[in-house]
Amino acid sequence: MLSKSRYVRGIKCQKSLWLYKHKKEEQLVSESAMAVFSRGTNVGELAQNYFPDGKMAVLEDYPGYASAQRTQEFIMQGVETIYEATFIYDSTLVAVDILHKEGGKWFMYEVKSTNSTKPEHIIDVAVQYYVVSGSGLPLADAFLMHFNRDYVRRGDINVKELFVADSVYSDILSNQEEVRLKIPELLKVLEGDEPVIEMGAHCSNPYDCDFCDYCASLLPPKDVEIIELSNIPEVKENEVKAFVNAIEYPICHLDFETIMPGVPLFDESRPYQQVPFQYSLHLQESPDSEIQHFQYLAPSDLTIDPRKGLIEQMINETKGGKTIFVYHIPFERTRIYEMMRDFPQYTEPLQSIIDRMVDLIIPFKRKYYRTETMKGSSSIKKVLPALYPELSYDDLAISEGMAASNAFLDLYYCNDENVTKQTREDLLKYCHLDTLAMVKILEVLKGV
Ligand code: SF4
């Protein structure tokens, strides 16, 4: 038997489909993929309110024969909205997120926790349509329901405004013959031996396969030629000096961390908006003065908007700085423009922060300063170890932005005081290193 998710898996890679059935123990689901999955589940439940008072067909954990039977009973009873409506046809089982009847016609809705319809979503709906209509239920249209990127939360979530539904009817109709031919092909794969498929671009497109480690372990060991990369800098002295000489003291080094909830958690925020919850700031009054450190980390409470406290403290702590260094200016500048849009009362001081911002990435992006060990990258994660190998993110419990974001979101649900305390310390250490790295990078440039 196939299911919608197995079908989609098989379209991406037949080996992945086979492994999922026969060697599931080799599957490695990353934490970020698990977070996406659980987000998707919650969003699906929220979207049901778009058509309230429906009946749930799946009472067990997973849709199966009993839920298919219950769906048929609901249809016979005249129920007009069915959640997880389950159908089986041509050895394939699908559960439609929302099946809704209006004006005597049936419509199906597949919910995605994204801000737009993506090509891979069409495959989902195409196989669902094939099974539902093949089971004998005519469908008047098929929709993909996703977030409305322009929705702004004000008060309780308005589900009718949060979601938009795109008809994908014409796309899926043209895919029906392909689905019909693919199903027996994929069923045959499941019954056969492990397919021989080489790793390639499809392993990470449109998302990472969860059997990558397994497949990589089957590759013959390569004779890796170890190339020693030089850490000796190639420096365009005049350009570096011009950059350094333009610095006006006092200087600040600023870096944000953000969360990006699909369903907006706070008023004046939108789906998947990057909401800053933390910053680190190093401040130096003059070239010879001591460097001071400031930081902000919002309370571990997602009912409180972290931005207002962050904005006020940041305005206050940066007000003396004539130069505000950030690393990769589009990120911090965009966050501050969003703050101005969402909190217009702070427009003037926030605009002043933007006006004083200087991007510390410039000397590396423009190749004024490079080493072979940077491998052509100007990312701080490559530049820092090249300049200061002893200052590494590798030793930190939280070592990249997505992990910081997930850790902060998890804090809200954490009831263990010790874990909360430790996680908050880890978050502070991570963000602190981001601006300390900038301090150290500037020292190197000043030494040229
Ligand atoms: S890692 Fe690549 S080749 Fe291996 S199962 Fe996944 S998609 Fe297929």
Side-chain angles (χ1 to χ4, degrees):
M1 174 82 82
L2 281 175
S3 64
K4 181 197 76 174
S5 54
R6 283 186 179 197
Y7 178 89
V8 171
R9 186 178 278 276
I11 294 290
K12 178 176 160 70
C13 175
Q14 296 192 352
K15 184 174 179 181
S16 166
L17 172 69
W18 189 92
L19 290 169
Y20 191 75
K21 178 174 180 195
H22 297 284
K23 288 192 178 173
K24 199 157 186 308
E25 67 283 3
E26 301 290 352
Q27 186 189 27
L28 210 68
V29 185
S30 68
E31 271 184 36
S32 59
M34 264 156 61
V36 169
F37 178 74
S38 102
R39 238 178 1 231
T41 310
N42 297 337
V43 170
E45 285 165 13
L46 182 66
Q48 290 170 359
N49 295 312
Y50 201 90
F51 296 105
D53 305 321
K55 296 269 190 195
M56 171 56 80
V58 178
L59 297 182
E60 319 81 22
D61 283 346
Y62 299 102
Y65 286 101
S67 33
Q69 203 177 356
R70 196 171 300 113
T71 301
Q72 289 308 317
E73 286 165 12
F74 288 154
I75 292 172
M76 301 297 284
Q77 290 162 12
V79 174
E80 298 208 321
T81 299
I82 306 171
Y83 308 132
E84 302 292 335
T86 309
F87 296 85
I88 301 171
Y89 171 70
D90 201 4
S91 305
T92 308
L93 179 148
V94 300
V96 174
D97 286 333
I98 302 171
L99 188 68
H100 180 66
K101 195 175 189 185
E102 211 167 299
K105 293 176 180 168
W106 285 103
F107 300 85
M108 60 175 264
Y109 293 81
E110 170 72 4
V111 181
K112 295 290 174 197
S113 51
T114 55
N115 270 354
S116 61
T117 291
K118 298 186 188 303
E120 60 270 24
H121 297 158
I122 305 293
I123 301 170
D124 277 33
V125 189
V127 67
Q128 285 178 321
Y129 180 90
Y130 174 81
V131 172
V132 175
S133 54
S135 314
L137 188 78
L139 289 167
D141 208 339
F143 293 91
L144 258 166
M145 199 187 260
H146 57 78
F147 293 131
N148 166 14
R149 65 170 81 239
D150 296 324
Y151 171 72
V152 182
R153 180 169 185 165
R154 290 183 182 120
D156 289 341
I157 288 284
N158 182 333
V159 175
K160 291 275 182 190
E161 288 181 8
L162 173 64
F163 291 101
V164 285
D166 296 336
S167 171
V168 289
Y169 198 54
S170 55
D171 298 300
I172 58 163
L173 282 189
S174 58
N175 278 351
Q176 291 304 288
E177 182 60 7
E178 193 185 327
V179 176
R180 189 181 72 76
L181 296 173
K182 264 293 169 208
I183 287 176
E185 186 185 327
L186 296 180
L187 286 167
K188 212 164 146 199
V189 168
L190 285 174
E191 299 317 314
D193 295 333
E194 181 170 334
V196 179
I197 294 175
E198 284 191 14
M199 291 185 81
H202 67 286
C203 303
S204 53
N205 184 22
Y207 46 82
D208 286 342
C209 174
D210 38 20
F211 288 105
C212 279
D213 281 16
Y214 169 77
C215 288
S217 73
L218 302 181
L219 296 172
K222 277 192 196 155
D223 287 338
V224 185
E225 195 188 340
I226 298 174
I227 302 168
E228 276 293 327
L229 294 175
S230 163
N231 216 13
I232 298 170
E234 290 171 35
V235 184
K236 291 184 179 165
E237 234 178 275
N238 292 342
E239 283 84 346
V240 172
K241 282 192 166 136
F243 179 84
V244 170
N245 291 339
I247 298 170
E248 284 189 86
Y249 280 80
I251 58 171
C252 301
H253 298 268
L254 177 67
D255 182 73
F256 294 133
E257 299 305 326
T258 60
I259 48 172
M260 233 174 58
V263 178
L265 295 171
F266 316 109
D267 280 0
E268 301 301 329
S269 70
R270 299 147 198 250
Y272 288 116
Q273 178 173 333
Q274 300 219 29
V275 176
F277 65 90
Q278 176 179 16
Y279 71 73
S280 170
L281 175 76
H282 278 89
L283 171 73
Q284 192 175 24
E285 296 285 347
S286 66
D288 302 320
S289 63
E290 255 188 40
I291 296 171
Q292 304 168 66
H293 183 245
F294 303 93
Q295 56 195 353
Y296 178 88
L297 177 56
S300 316
D301 183 346
L302 296 179
T303 63
I304 301 170
D305 191 330
R307 293 172 294 175
K308 202 158 177 278
L310 180 146
I311 291 170
E312 286 178 356
Q313 188 172 319
M314 177 178 67
I315 289 171
N316 190 34
E317 289 176 348
T318 55
K319 68 173 181 277
K322 288 200 169 153
T323 305
I324 300 177
F325 281 116
V326 290
Y327 204 93
H328 185 57
I329 204 166
F331 180 78
E332 266 76 17
R333 188 170 51 198
T334 307
R335 301 294 78 78
I336 294 185
Y337 276 133
E338 288 163 353
M339 291 174 195
M340 287 160 68
R341 179 195 63 199
D342 300 333
F343 297 88
Q345 66 271 36
Y346 299 111
T347 296
E348 208 179 305
L350 288 173
Q351 181 61 55
S352 157
I353 292 178
I354 290 178
D355 294 344
R356 290 174 283 152
M357 274 183 175
V358 175
D359 199 341
L360 190 57
I361 205 171
I362 288 172
F364 303 98
K365 200 154 202 155
R366 296 189 185 161
K367 310 274 183 271
Y368 300 164
Y369 194 112
R370 63 176 292 274
T371 68
E372 282 181 3
T373 47
M374 292 177 194
K375 296 180 183 167
S377 168
S378 51
S379 149
I380 200 163
K381 300 266 166 24
K382 285 278 184 288
V383 170
L384 181 65
L387 303 185
Y388 277 94
E390 65 278 18
L391 263 187
S392 165
Y393 287 87
D394 294 347
D395 305 329
L396 298 181
I398 293 171
S399 59
E400 46 92 25
M402 184 55 80
S405 172
N406 287 336
F408 182 73
L409 287 169
D410 287 348
L411 279 177
Y412 181 55
Y413 305 98
C414 179
N415 295 321
D416 186 324
E417 261 179 46
N418 292 331
V419 173
T420 297
K421 188 165 171 272
Q422 185 59 53
T423 305
R424 289 182 67 84
E425 276 171 23
D426 292 340
L427 282 165
L428 291 172
K429 273 188 201 156
Y430 169 63
C431 200
H432 172 264
L433 183 56
D434 271 340
T435 49
L436 180 64
M438 290 160 66
V439 170
K440 296 292 181 189
I441 289 169
L442 184 63
E443 273 174 16
V444 171
L445 295 176
K446 281 161 66 182
V448 168

